[in-house]
Amino acid sequence: MERNLEEKSKKYLWLPFTQMKDYDEHPLIIESGNGIKVKDIHGKEYYDGFSSVWLNVHGHRKKELDEAITAQLSKIAHSTLLGMTNVPATELAEKLVNISPENLTRVFYSDSGAEAMEIALKMAFQYWKNKGNEKKQKFISMQNGYHGDTIGAVSVGSIELFHQMYGPLMFESYKAPYPNAYRFEEGDANQCKEECLEMLEQLLQEQHETIAALSIESMVQGAAGMVVMPEGFLAGVRRLCTKYNVLMIVDEVATGFGRTGKMFACEHEQVQPDLMAAGKGITGGYLPIAVTFTTEEIYRAFYDDFQNQKTFFHGHSYTGNQLGCAVAIANLELFEKDKIVEQVQEKSQQLQTLLRELTHLPHVGDIRQLGFMCGIELVKNKETKESYPKEARMGYAVSLKMRELGMLTRPMGDVLVLMPPLVSTIEELGDMINIMKQAIIEVTDE
Ligand code: PLP
């Protein structure tokens, strides 16, 4: 039976972000999950070391979340949000507004992080038009930024490996430098931050009249390799956006819902975005709901008699799905009851101590962490920070070894990712780091 399933997976499926030739060599089919572990069809168990791509909060098969879906199913699975609403979508909206930065008072639902960003971009663009400003139509985004895979989100992204191919399809956006302190040769993290802010200000001075909005991942660039920004950068960007009358779109898709030790990462610097995208952890990792938050000021620019053509014409078939919203409500109730954010704050200090185990390994160049978002950068030469050649695919090789040793994760190039479910205990975190350590030693020694 298992063989048969593997054959079918190879014959019929095309998997996201996957070279299928790699999959055919190393197939994996998950059958079940429990707590922070998942089990494949052969019965082998793995730690979910990347929260099933940065989503999972309370572990798998969490009783309260399972029950919330069953209870909602006994009423209705889905009805539309076009021109009407439903009970859980309305209740959830209030809860979301109550936990978000205070200037954000409205929520617009969608189904994925990329869509939530796409919506933020379209809202920002139309906001200026609705206000009668025809000049502000362009965007600034960050070098090495990632906001999802739809064309709009790709246009404000800049990960060469994922995005270069689609150049001709994209709309133009200015790319501002992002402060990667590890790769900054000319000084410390503070200097790195100051230089990036200066260059951003220069760009804004020249172009602000044509710029609708700036998009930025909150506190950590995830897909770029868990690059945590130096203290004060996000607040600096907020200051410049305000000074030059440019809307600030903060992407909390990866960082939101407790992942960094705050409900939303922009709270680390008391930043109030104009638009904010979130998704992933919103349902505890259960169902695809995402959300774009905005301010009353932006909302009001769309609110008018229909014939004045200010309506936001955007929506998806499954927007505001009841099952998703019901489980999101149960998820937020668990956040409160189990004090998840406080737990992450406490445990991330112990996690930092555990990660020190890896510091002395000869090919670990840098360890970056904010809360439960950790990146371990492998380098060929620790002194010179020289990277491994791309063809060596070290991150991939180490992650495959980790799989063999009982832990799942996906690297970003040669940066190993540790992003465990937020309920992981210190003992479980220790186990995962031991697996990582063993895999790094075995593969880099070869
Ligand atoms: N924005 C950020 C910062 C992300 O990390 C991701 C996904 O990893 C996205 C957007 C896209 O989210 P989704 O995969 O739900 O479309």
Side-chain angles (χ1 to χ4, degrees):
M1 199 278 252
E2 290 84 21
R3 283 268 158 269
N4 198 1
L5 262 181
E6 277 179 5
E7 288 314 313
K8 281 188 204 175
S9 76
K10 291 180 188 179
K11 186 163 176 203
Y12 297 113
L13 278 170
W14 189 349
L15 303 174
F17 273 103
T18 303
Q19 173 47 260
M20 291 306 287
K21 197 157 185 271
D22 289 342
Y23 175 80
D24 286 352
E25 279 170 34
H26 303 283
L28 175 62
I29 305 180
I30 300 300
E31 187 174 62
S32 61
N34 197 6
I36 70 155
K37 287 191 170 173
V38 294
K39 199 191 271 187
D40 73 15
I41 52 172
H42 302 289
K44 182 173 165 78
E45 279 198 317
Y46 310 85
Y47 278 114
D48 188 353
F50 67 150
S51 299
S52 296
V53 189
W54 317 357
L55 317 164
N56 195 280
V57 176
H58 312 282
H60 299 278
R61 281 179 50 217
K62 181 76 181 168
K63 187 167 158 281
E64 290 86 338
L65 301 184
D66 294 0
E67 284 172 0
I69 295 175
T70 320
Q72 180 58 43
L73 254 182
S74 70
K75 295 181 189 141
I76 185 172
H78 182 76
S79 64
T80 185
L81 232 64
L82 272 61
M84 62 187 84
T85 180
N86 66 55
V87 177
T90 310
E91 297 287 0
L92 176 63
E94 182 187 26
K95 282 190 182 296
L96 289 170
V97 167
N98 285 343
I99 58 167
S100 68
E102 63 176 340
N103 290 1
L104 301 174
T105 55
R106 291 274 165 181
V107 298
F108 192 104
Y109 292 118
S110 55
D111 317 332
S112 68
E115 286 165 290
M117 276 304 293
E118 200 84 24
I119 288 162
L121 296 169
K122 284 175 77 177
M123 278 180 178
F125 180 87
Q126 191 176 337
Y127 167 77
W128 293 110
K129 282 196 164 252
N130 283 2
K131 302 254 297 179
N133 184 328
E134 292 288 334
K135 282 210 239 156
K136 283 180 166 289
Q137 300 198 355
K138 295 199 168 155
F139 293 89
I140 298 180
S141 51
M142 293 289 132
Q143 276 167 13
N144 289 322
Y146 177 76
H147 300 288
D149 302 320
T150 52
I151 294 299
V154 166
S155 298
V156 290
S158 92
I159 306 257
E160 200 184 312
L161 181 67
F162 308 159
H163 297 154
Q164 200 188 25
M165 165 69 75
Y166 305 107
L169 283 181
M170 296 181 200
F171 59 77
E172 224 181 306
S173 91
Y174 296 102
K175 299 288 183 276
Y178 181 89
N180 180 341
Y182 178 62
R183 292 286 167 195
F184 182 72
E185 302 294 335
E186 293 85 40
D188 63 11
N190 193 48
Q191 276 167 290
C192 178
K193 172 194 79 175
E194 290 301 333
E195 270 193 26
C196 288
L197 285 175
E198 270 169 38
M199 284 189 267
L200 175 61
E201 176 146 27
Q202 214 174 342
L203 176 60
L204 281 164
Q205 261 167 7
E206 288 161 14
Q207 300 294 342
H208 68 98
E209 286 185 349
T210 67
I211 307 291
L214 171 146
S215 67
I216 184 166
E217 284 161 83
S218 193
M219 297 303 293
V220 186
Q221 277 192 330
M226 300 298 154
V227 186
V228 183
M229 53 178 71
E231 210 181 309
F233 184 70
L234 197 70
V237 172
R238 171 69 272 185
R239 198 169 17 81
L240 292 175
C241 286
T242 306
K243 181 171 171 190
Y244 291 96
N245 200 23
V246 160
L247 297 176
M248 184 183 192
I249 303 173
V250 171
D251 183 344
E252 290 268 0
V253 173
T255 49
F257 298 98
R259 186 67 55 187
T260 70
K262 298 278 183 193
M263 186 55 89
F264 294 101
C266 58
E267 291 169 33
H268 286 284
E269 305 217 330
Q270 293 86 45
V271 162
Q272 297 279 341
D274 298 298
L275 292 140
M276 184 172 95
K280 292 198 186 272
I282 189 172
T283 60
Y286 263 55
L287 284 167
I289 294 278
V291 64
T292 307
F293 293 84
T294 191
T295 60
E296 215 54 21
E297 154 76 14
I298 292 178
Y299 174 75
R300 283 280 146 199
F302 291 73
Y303 192 89
D304 206 340
D305 294 329
F306 183 80
Q307 53 273 25
N308 290 335
Q309 296 198 2
K310 292 188 176 170
T311 308
F312 188 52
F313 286 112
H314 186 109
H316 302 279
S317 306
Y318 283 99
T319 292
N321 172 261
Q322 277 98 327
L323 296 177
C325 289
V327 77
I329 291 172
N331 171 43
L332 293 182
E333 285 167 357
L334 280 176
F335 259 89
E336 220 171 302
K337 179 173 141 291
D338 295 347
K339 299 198 174 1
I340 297 290
V341 175
E342 294 83 345
Q343 261 198 56
V344 174
Q345 277 169 15
E346 267 177 48
K347 286 187 293 193
S348 49
Q349 291 183 0
Q350 287 155 290
L351 179 56
Q352 190 181 11
T353 312
L354 289 169
L355 281 166
R356 281 197 207 117
E357 282 282 308
L358 308 177
T359 318
H360 307 294
L361 299 182
H363 293 284
V364 169
D366 194 25
I367 299 180
R368 302 183 278 270
Q369 181 204 1
L370 190 66
F372 268 33
M373 272 181 102
C374 316
I376 294 94
E377 182 162 342
L378 302 175
V379 288
K380 187 169 172 207
N381 185 323
K382 202 163 169 151
E383 303 307 311
T384 62
K385 302 184 186 176
E386 183 193 347
S387 304
Y388 281 104
K390 283 201 174 92
E391 316 77 75
R393 300 183 75 196
M394 280 312 263
Y396 178 67
V398 174
S399 297
L400 269 185
K401 176 59 76 180
M402 280 160 68
R403 185 203 282 194
E404 199 182 306
L405 298 172
M407 172 175 169
L408 297 183
T409 183
R410 259 180 82 88
M412 313 303 315
D414 284 345
V415 179
L416 303 174
V417 169
L418 175 66
M419 219 156 142
L422 304 187
V423 293
S424 307
T425 63
I426 298 302
E427 202 190 355
E428 290 165 333
L429 294 170
D431 269 1
M432 284 187 258
I433 287 169
N434 279 338
I435 290 177
M436 239 177 180
K437 185 175 176 184
Q438 194 183 335
I440 295 172
I441 293 171
E442 281 188 36
V443 175
T444 55
D445 267 4
E446 273 168 16

